[in-house]
């Protein structure tokens, strides 16, 4: 609906009373009779302040005179407008007083309460706001306040700051009592309290919220007492958390840099270096005026300035870590190598707040590095030397391993083959690769020669792995890949690690197939020889025995012939007869000696203790004829006893002594000397003469039967004596030999068993 123009007839017809009643502003009609009529808005308002409905109760006393003047003017027909103070608000009201029907019409227009506007405004910004009376009762609160404090507006209104329900704390966690709240402080001091941090307990979230509280006291101008206090607060819980974290990080960072460096400094985000820099000053001796801006560069070694500045500018430009090394001049003028690092420190919004940098003295590190380098160089030298040595040894051992005719295995502590040389592989028919990594025993040493399984416990190689003792095995078998046994001899040598602990073994194996064959052949040969010796002795015995009979016949007839016809034939015949008798005699002695030799057998020997002295007295009797004849001599010094058969030993010594007497130098008397001494289990007997001697090449031969060095005409004999001597000596378990120099005499040596003590 469009209202008609005020001057129009249509407007005149409008019901004025209805219009006044609908107006939201208070309107009062003052009749000429003093009667006051109020519209609905005025009635409602007046009722709040005056029980009697007195219109003037709406106005402050100070405004009353002006209102009275205006009414008087209206009654005179003038319309007046006056500014008035209204009781329930600080905002000024505009009162229009106009003449009407003999009276006056009063229209009050009140501006909106600025507090209400403020409450709404704050609400829009998310800030809580309350208005408290001087007794701290809450008169007004916006929705944000209710939200932040965790209660409804109705719950908030009427509460005061001392209400025990409030739970508030300072940032350090200590209690924040009601009488010290910013609003109360503002009321008491009439000073604005700005951005006071305060933690309040949020009953719904059951957690603390952090507020930043500003309280503004309001007082009536000129009055000393406050009228109200307006409190505005922001919820800074999230910001607070971030700041706490930031502060924590920064504290940690700072303590870190302090702990690890000598100089800590800071700079503005734009790289500007400004005092105070206490540690920088202390180290460099620069004054603030000297280092300010880029003056610090002057303390850097001239050669390091350019790259230092370039790096610093780059870091500042990119907001990146600054890291450089340079020499920094100490207060005493000495340049010290420094490791420099700086980092940009950002605030909670990610904005660069400052640079924090450190200078760390590198001289100690440098010295350590230098020492380390020297040490490394020396070590490297030693390693190289060692490597060369090793290479040489390795080459050598590889060569040895490869070239060795013997099989060589390396075993680890468990008996697994770690290496094998070609000879080992060849010997056992495996490839080297096949042997390495295999338990050696299982592969090639699993059974004995007779087919019994070879238990690991009885294997000498494994015994060495266990006890670290070297072992030599002369006869064993290892098994060829093709299943046959290879007869082997081997030596197991333990190996040790750097700590000297047994780590395995090296086995050197020899294939003894050939050796065994040779031994077997030798054995066969010996047996053959012994057999043919026996045959020969048998033959000698039989032959000499059987020869005796015809010889006896020849001897008898020769003797008969001589007895009967000697001197009856011519002289030549007599000489022939003599030759025949001589030959028969010699033949007889030869056969007897041969028979004696053949009869000598080990089995018949009975050994008893015999004194050499006793034997030599017998020998002296045997050779008495020779001794008496030509002034020869026999002496002896034989204190020992021997184990032997006396008759054979007498024969032995008689042979040696009579040879010594027989083979004397022409025209010189023979002297034979016999001595003895004990040597261990044997008695060493020497028979020495001063005779013709024997050339070395005959020393062996003279012990064989029938071997003689002279014509019978020169020295009689049949060449059986020394052969018999040797046989007797050897049957006694002794040995016979000689040393001799031709023309100077001979010494025959023999050993015979001593009497066991
Ligand atoms: P024979 O009956 O010839 O003495 P032997 O067997 O006793 O036989 O000695 C063999 C040879 O050894 C002798 O013929 C002699 O040439 C040499 N012979 C043995 N004993 C001596 C000795 N004491 N001095 C020099 N030659 C010796």
């Amino acid at each position: 609906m469009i209202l008609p123009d005020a001057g129009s007839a249509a407007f005149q017809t409008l019901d004025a009373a209805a219009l006044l009643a609908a107006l939201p502003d208070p309107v009062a009609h003052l009749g000429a009779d003093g009667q006051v009529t109020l519209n609905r808005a005025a009635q409602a308002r007046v009722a709040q302040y005056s029980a009697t409905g007195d219109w003037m109760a709406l106005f402050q006393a100070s405004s009353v005179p002006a209102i009275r003047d205006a009414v008087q003017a209206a009654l005179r027909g003038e319309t007046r407008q006056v500014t008035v103070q209204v009781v329930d608000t600080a905002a000024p009201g505009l009162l229009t007083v106009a003449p009407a029907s003999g009276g006056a019409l009063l229209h009050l227009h009140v501006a909106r309460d600025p507090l209400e506007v403020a409450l709404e405004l704050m609400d829009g910004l998310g800030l809580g706001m309350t208005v408290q009376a001087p007794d701290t009762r809450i008169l007004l609160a916006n929705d944000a306040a209710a939200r932040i404090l965790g209660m409804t507006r109705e719950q908030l209104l009427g509460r005061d700051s001392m209400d025990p329900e409030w739970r508030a704390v300072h940032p350090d966690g200590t209690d924040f009592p009601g009488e010290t709240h910013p609003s109360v402080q503002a009321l008491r001091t009439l000073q604005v309290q700005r951005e006071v941090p305060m933690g309040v307990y949020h009953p719904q979230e059951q957690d603390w919220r952090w507020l930043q509280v500003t309280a503004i006291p309001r007082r009536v101008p000129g009055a000393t007492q406050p009228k109200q206090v307006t409190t505005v607060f922001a919820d800074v819980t999230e910001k607070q958390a971030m700041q706490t974290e930031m502060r924590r990080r920064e504290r940690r960072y700072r303590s870190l840099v302090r702990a690890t460096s000598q100089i800590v400094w800071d700079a503005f985000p734009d790289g500007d270096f400004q005092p105070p820099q206490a540690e920088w000053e202390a180290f460099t001796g620069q004054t603030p005026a000297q280092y300010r801006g880029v003056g610090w560069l002057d303390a850097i070694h001239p050669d390091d300035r350019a790259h230092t500045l370039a790096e610093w500018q780059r870091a500042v430009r990119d907001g990146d870590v600054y890291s450089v090394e340079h020499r920094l001049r100490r207060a005493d003028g000495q340049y010290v190598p420094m490791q420099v690092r700086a980092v940009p420190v950002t605030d909670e919004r990610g904005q660069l707040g400052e640079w924090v940098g450190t200078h760390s003295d590198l001289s100690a590190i440098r010295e350590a590095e230098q020492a380390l380098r020297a040490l490394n160089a020396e070590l490297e030298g030693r390693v190289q030397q060692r490597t060369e040595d090793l290479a040489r040894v390795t080459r050598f051992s590889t060569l040895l391993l490869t070239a060795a005719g013997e099989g060589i295995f390396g075993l680890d502590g468990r008996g697994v083959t770690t290496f094998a040389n070609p000879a080992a592989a060849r010997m056992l028919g495996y490839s080297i690769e096949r042997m390495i990594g295999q338990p050696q025993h299982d592969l090639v040493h699993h059974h004995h020669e007779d087919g019994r399984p070879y238990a690991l416990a009885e294997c000498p190689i494994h015994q060495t792995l266990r006890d670290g003792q070297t072992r030599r095995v002369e006869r064993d078998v290892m098994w060829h890949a093709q299943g046959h046994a290879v007869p082997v001899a081997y030596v197991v040598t333990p190996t040790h690690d750097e700590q000297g602990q047994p780590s395995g073994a090296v086995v050197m194996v020899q294939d003894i197939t050939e050796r065994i064959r040779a031994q077997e052949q030798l054995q066969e040969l010996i047996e053959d020889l012994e057999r043919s010796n026996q045959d020969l002795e048998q033959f000698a015995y039989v032959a000499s025995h059987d020869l005796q009979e015809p010889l006896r016949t020849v001897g008898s007839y020769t003797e008969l012939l001589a007895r009967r016809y000697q001197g009856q034939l011519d002289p030549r015949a007599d000489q022939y007869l003599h030759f025949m008798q001589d030959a028969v005699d010699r033949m007889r002695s030869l056969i007897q000696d041969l028979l004696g030799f053949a009869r000598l057998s080990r089995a018949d020997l009975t050994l008893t203790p015999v004194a050499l002295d006793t034997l030599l007295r017998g020998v002296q009797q045997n050779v008495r004829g020779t001794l008496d004849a030509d002034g020869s001599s026999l002496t002896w010094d034989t204190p020992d006893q021997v184990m032997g058969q006396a008759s054979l030993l007498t024969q032995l010594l008689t042979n040696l002594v009579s040879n010594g007497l027989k083979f004397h130098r022409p025209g010189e008397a023979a002297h034979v000397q016999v001595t003895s001494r004990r040597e261990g289990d044997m008695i060493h007997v020497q028979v020495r003469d001063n005779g013709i001697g024997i050339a070395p090449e005959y020393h062996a031969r003279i012990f064989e039967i029938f071997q003689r060095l002279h014509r019978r005409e020169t020295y009689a004999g049949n060449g059986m004596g020394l052969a018999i001597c040797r046989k007797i000596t050897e049957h006694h378990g002794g040995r016979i030999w000689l040393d001799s120099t031709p023309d100077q005499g001979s010494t025959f040596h023999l050993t015979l068993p001593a009497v066991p003590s």
Side-chain angles (χ1 to χ4, degrees):
M1 185 181 78
I2 300 168
L3 280 179
D5 184 74
S8 69
F11 189 81
Q12 302 297 326
T13 66
L14 279 173
D15 184 5
L19 198 68
L20 288 175
L23 201 70
D25 289 338
V27 178
H29 180 259
L30 202 62
D33 52 357
Q35 187 88 34
V36 177
T37 310
L38 300 178
N39 76 344
R40 210 174 297 142
Q43 280 172 3
R45 217 166 173 119
V46 169
Q48 284 184 28
Y49 301 100
S50 166
T52 56
D54 178 8
W55 162 256
M56 291 304 282
L58 282 181
F59 307 99
Q60 300 269 0
S62 57
S63 299
V64 172
I67 297 171
R68 284 194 202 286
D69 284 353
V71 169
Q72 290 306 317
L75 291 177
R76 288 193 305 271
E78 292 169 28
T79 298
R80 292 268 176 91
Q81 282 197 315
V82 288
T83 303
V84 291
Q85 296 295 320
V86 186
V87 281
D88 59 358
T89 170
L94 182 68
L95 186 68
T96 308
V97 186
S101 333
L105 203 59
L106 288 84
H107 169 249
L108 178 63
H109 178 76
V110 186
R112 262 195 90 200
D113 185 343
L115 273 181
E116 280 174 13
V117 174
L119 283 167
E120 264 177 40
L121 214 80
M122 294 298 153
D123 212 23
L125 291 172
L127 296 172
M129 180 170 160
T130 58
V131 178
Q132 286 168 277
D135 62 0
T136 75
R137 264 183 316 109
I138 295 177
L139 301 173
L140 297 167
N142 66 357
D143 285 339
R147 205 170 49 245
I148 292 170
L149 296 173
M151 45 186 87
T152 63
R153 273 172 70 182
E154 286 67 38
Q155 286 171 327
L156 274 176
L157 294 175
R159 277 207 190 197
D160 64 31
S161 295
M162 304 336 144
D163 193 307
E165 294 283 306
W166 293 120
R167 287 175 68 191
V169 289
H170 288 283
D172 62 5
T174 56
D175 200 27
F176 205 147
E179 53 272 24
T180 58
H181 283 188
S183 51
V184 181
Q185 298 269 43
L187 281 170
R188 191 163 58 236
T189 62
L190 293 176
Q191 300 287 317
V192 176
Q193 308 292 309
R194 275 182 216 287
E195 299 186 346
V196 179
M198 182 191 241
V200 291
Y201 191 74
H202 194 284
Q204 268 130 48
E205 288 175 6
Q206 305 201 335
D207 199 1
W208 293 88
R209 294 205 148 209
W210 288 98
L211 310 184
Q212 207 164 40
V213 185
T214 297
I216 307 152
R218 293 179 72 212
R219 59 179 167 158
V220 176
T224 50
Q225 287 305 305
K227 188 185 168 211
Q228 288 172 342
V229 59
T230 302
T231 308
V232 177
F233 46 91
D235 183 347
V236 293
T237 309
E238 272 178 31
K239 190 172 148 192
Q240 179 78 14
M242 272 176 70
Q243 274 175 342
T244 308
E245 176 62 14
M246 288 272 300
R247 268 199 296 277
R248 194 180 63 80
R249 283 194 198 175
E250 197 182 316
R251 264 201 306 279
R252 202 174 57 184
Y253 172 76
R254 286 201 181 260
S255 59
L256 206 68
V257 294
R258 290 239 152 71
T260 55
S261 63
Q262 280 106 4
I263 309 174
V264 179
W265 47 266
D266 49 23
F268 286 121
D270 61 1
D272 198 13
F273 196 57
Q274 288 297 334
Q277 305 283 0
E279 291 176 20
W280 180 271
E281 280 172 35
F283 189 90
T284 61
Q286 278 191 315
T287 63
Q290 284 171 332
Y291 64 71
R292 190 188 291 279
V294 287
W296 53 270
L297 260 181
D298 184 52
I300 312 296
H301 192 281
D303 295 348
D304 297 341
R305 279 177 201 160
H307 80 262
T308 297
L309 187 63
E311 173 61 14
W312 177 231
Q313 285 169 342
R314 185 205 61 77
V316 170
R317 189 187 63 233
D318 299 348
D320 195 9
V321 174
Y322 167 59
S323 174
V324 77
E325 279 182 24
H326 59 217
R327 286 157 286 179
L328 182 64
R329 191 180 55 231
R330 208 161 47 195
D332 62 3
Q334 186 92 25
Y335 281 103
V336 179
M338 287 282 182
Q339 160 91 60
V340 192
R341 265 183 80 78
V343 289
V345 180
T346 50
D347 62 17
E348 67 271 22
R349 292 189 308 280
Q351 292 291 306
L352 182 53
E354 61 173 336
W355 287 88
V356 177
T358 62
H359 270 67
S360 312
D361 186 346
L362 277 179
S363 33
I365 297 171
R366 280 286 143 78
E367 273 166 34
E369 274 175 0
Q370 198 129 16
L372 201 68
R373 262 199 298 279
L375 203 70
N376 267 345
E378 192 203 312
L379 264 177
E380 247 166 51
R382 272 160 56 184
V383 166
Q384 186 150 359
Q385 181 64 44
R386 184 100 181 82
T387 310
E388 280 167 18
D389 287 354
L390 261 175
R392 214 175 16 252
V393 169
T394 308
R395 263 200 309 280
F396 184 62
S397 25
T398 309
L399 205 71
L400 258 185
L401 277 177
T402 315
E406 290 183 315
I408 303 174
F409 303 102
L411 302 180
D412 68 10
R414 297 164 302 154
V416 170
T417 304
T418 52
F419 70 81
N421 70 345
R426 237 183 352 259
M427 186 184 301
L428 297 169
Y430 290 102
S431 69
I432 293 175
E433 293 71 30
R434 175 79 176 82
M435 300 181 92
I436 289 175
Q438 290 291 318
Q440 192 247 13
H441 188 85
D442 295 353
L443 191 68
V444 298
H445 204 209
H446 38 79
H447 283 82
H448 287 280
E449 189 169 11
D450 58 11
R452 281 181 300 120
Y454 209 143
L456 212 53
E458 52 172 331
C459 169
I461 298 172
H462 276 259
Q463 282 163 8
T464 292
L465 289 177
R466 278 195 298 276
D467 64 14
Q469 300 292 314
T470 300
R471 283 190 172 70
R472 171 183 289 277
V473 176
E474 291 301 343
R475 184 81 202 253
D476 199 345
V477 292
M478 286 192 182
W479 293 87
H480 194 273
Q482 286 170 0
H484 60 264
V486 179
V488 291
Y490 53 84
V491 180
V492 196
T493 313
T495 56
H496 298 93
D497 61 17
E498 292 98 81
Q499 278 83 47
Q501 295 300 312
S503 64
V506 172
V507 188
M508 298 183 71
V509 193
Q510 229 179 347
D511 181 343
I512 54 168
T513 311
E514 280 309 314
R515 195 202 291 174
I516 289 175
R517 191 170 300 152
Q519 266 173 358
E520 283 170 357
Q521 278 175 352
L522 194 68
Q523 191 59 37
E524 270 172 34
L525 214 62
I526 289 168
E527 282 167 14
D528 277 359
L529 258 174
E530 276 176 357
R531 237 190 332 271
S532 72
N533 251 0
Q534 274 172 6
D535 289 352
L536 202 68
E537 279 175 16
Q538 189 68 25
F539 167 76
Y541 179 78
V542 172
S544 48
H545 188 268
D546 289 359
L547 278 173
Q548 272 185 323
E549 188 48 41
L551 183 62
R552 218 176 280 130
T553 310
V554 173
S556 302
Y557 282 103
T558 308
E559 211 179 309
L560 203 61
L561 203 63
R563 216 181 295 147
R564 180 95 41 105
Y565 299 104
Q566 187 105 46
Q568 297 178 22
L569 302 172
D570 60 12
R572 182 161 294 204
D574 282 352
Q575 196 182 14
Y576 288 166
L577 267 177
H578 176 69
F579 284 159
M580 278 173 69
Q581 280 182 312
D582 195 38
V584 168
D585 283 348
R586 270 194 292 115
M587 185 79 159
R588 191 179 293 121
S589 105
L590 195 68
I591 285 173
Q592 269 168 2
D593 279 351
L594 199 57
L595 205 55
F597 179 82
R599 272 204 200 107
L600 269 177
S601 97
R602 216 176 299 238
D604 302 334
L605 222 55
T606 36
L607 302 181
T608 53
V610 185
L612 287 170
D613 280 352
T614 314
L615 291 176
L616 279 155
R617 273 198 293 278
V619 172
Q620 193 182 36
Q621 285 303 319
N622 291 347
V623 298
R624 163 129 299 148
T626 322
L627 287 175
D628 291 346
D630 54 12
S632 311
S633 70
L634 168 66
T635 56
W636 64 89
D637 178 15
T638 51
D640 300 288
Q641 283 197 318
V642 295
M643 286 303 287
Q645 186 165 319
S647 59
L648 292 177
L649 294 182
T650 304
Q651 190 186 353
L652 165 64
L653 288 170
T654 302
N655 279 352
L656 293 177
V657 169
S658 58
N659 276 351
L661 295 172
K662 182 165 68 178
F663 295 103
H664 66 89
R665 280 172 293 186
E668 200 167 328
H671 297 295
V672 175
Q673 191 195 17
V674 184
T675 57
S676 76
R677 67 163 183 267
R678 190 180 175 119
E679 287 174 3
D681 293 342
M682 305 300 279
I683 304 297
H684 183 179
V685 182
Q686 300 186 25
V687 182
R688 179 176 295 134
D689 65 50
N690 59 341
I692 58 171
I694 306 165
E697 59 267 33
Y698 302 120
H699 286 191
R701 217 168 83 186
I702 55 171
F703 290 102
E704 290 168 16
I705 52 172
F706 306 137
Q707 290 297 328
R708 308 194 68 244
L709 302 179
H710 306 279
R711 290 168 56 80
R712 207 168 38 251
E713 290 72 29
T714 321
Y715 294 103
N718 57 23
M720 284 295 297
L722 286 178
I724 291 170
C725 287
R726 185 171 71 176
K727 203 166 180 187
I728 292 171
T729 311
E730 286 180 356
H731 278 11
H732 279 81
R735 231 157 48 78
I736 186 166
W737 71 101
L738 78 146
D739 58 66
S740 173
T741 314
D743 292 331
Q744 284 182 25
S746 309
T747 303
F748 280 80
H749 301 263
L750 56 114
T751 56
L752 292 167
V755 177
S757 45

